[in-house]
Amino acid sequence: MNELSKESMNTVKLAERRVFSQSFRPLYNEGMGLVEEAAEYLDGKGRAEAKKLSRIAATLYAAESMRLTTRLMQIASWLLLQRAANSGEMTRDQVASEKSKVRLDTVSAHEDAAGWSELPEDFVDLVKRSLRLQSLVRRMDEEIYGGGVTKLPVEGRRGNPVSDQISLLNHAFARG
């Protein structure tokens, strides 16, 4: 074994240590809190604010709302899988297998997109915070599991993304 591979075997992965310890709780709480906050906003204040937007801004708002929801569902799925591994409900290998269904690459429109400047401040804040959290989770995922974020094959995929997420969550918490 060469010097480099011995060194890499002895390197402590800080992200892995964080995810598989009690220090994971604040990250988990932040992610799940953001999911709840976004859901409350989109179902309440956001719905009212969206009605006041121009046609272009309303279209952008609708698209960004879907991206925000998707991004947060993916983050929540990743966090739930890590929590299941942390609590011993799933092995790391099971998590690695299941997390292959999680995509941590949901993009957002750029701030120079038509209508962006009209979007409600609270909504833009949620989008930015979700992007920062996604970036953090993605870096942790890459450090822990390596090889970048695993994506579902695009070719031949006909499934429903929402159904995929529900299936992933059901499997993550299945008792057997």
Side-chain angles (χ1 to χ4, degrees):
M1 204 178 273
N2 68 29
E3 231 15 72
L4 184 59
S5 57
K6 282 182 187 175
E7 185 178 306
S8 65
M9 285 176 53
N10 293 326
T11 302
V12 174
K13 291 181 177 179
L14 294 178
E16 185 170 17
R17 180 175 241 171
R18 180 178 182 191
V19 166
F20 295 103
S21 73
Q22 286 305 310
S23 63
F24 174 69
R25 185 174 302 267
L27 176 66
Y28 178 85
N29 290 341
E30 177 186 353
M32 295 316 229
L34 189 56
V35 168
E36 285 182 36
E37 187 180 340
E40 280 180 26
Y41 174 82
L42 293 172
D43 285 340
K45 184 179 178 184
R47 191 178 305 255
E49 289 180 334
K51 291 178 181 177
K52 301 174 190 171
L53 298 173
S54 69
R55 180 179 299 268
I56 289 175
T59 302
L60 179 61
Y61 179 89
E64 281 303 305
S65 294
M66 288 191 306
R67 289 182 189 121
L68 173 64
T69 303
T70 300
R71 182 180 309 113
L72 290 173
M73 286 293 293
Q74 297 295 323
I75 291 169
S77 295
W78 190 89
L79 291 169
L80 288 166
L81 285 169
Q82 304 319 307
R83 186 182 77 171
N86 192 354
S87 67
E89 295 174 36
M90 295 177 76
T91 67
R92 289 183 188 193
D93 289 341
Q94 288 172 318
V95 169
S97 174
E98 285 301 311
K99 75 161 214 71
S100 68
K101 300 172 186 169
V102 177
R103 296 182 57 121
L104 298 171
D105 60 355
T106 305
V107 297
S108 182
H110 295 285
E111 292 183 13
D112 58 352
W116 184 270
S117 62
E118 293 180 54
L119 294 177
E121 188 177 318
D122 289 343
F123 178 72
V124 171
D125 179 60
L126 285 169
V127 169
K128 287 180 179 182
R129 288 171 41 215
S130 73
L131 287 167
R132 280 193 298 272
L133 185 59
Q134 177 182 255
S135 179
L136 171 64
V137 167
R138 185 179 179 136
R139 283 191 311 272
M140 292 177 78
D141 184 82
E142 289 172 357
E143 185 177 327
I144 295 166
Y145 300 101
V149 177
T150 307
K151 298 178 184 177
L152 288 171
V154 175
E155 197 174 328
R157 181 169 180 231
R158 301 270 189 256
N160 176 332
V162 174
S163 177
D164 292 347
Q165 286 304 304
I166 291 170
S167 175
L168 176 64
L169 292 170
N170 283 335
H171 187 276
F173 292 101
R175 306 265 188 236

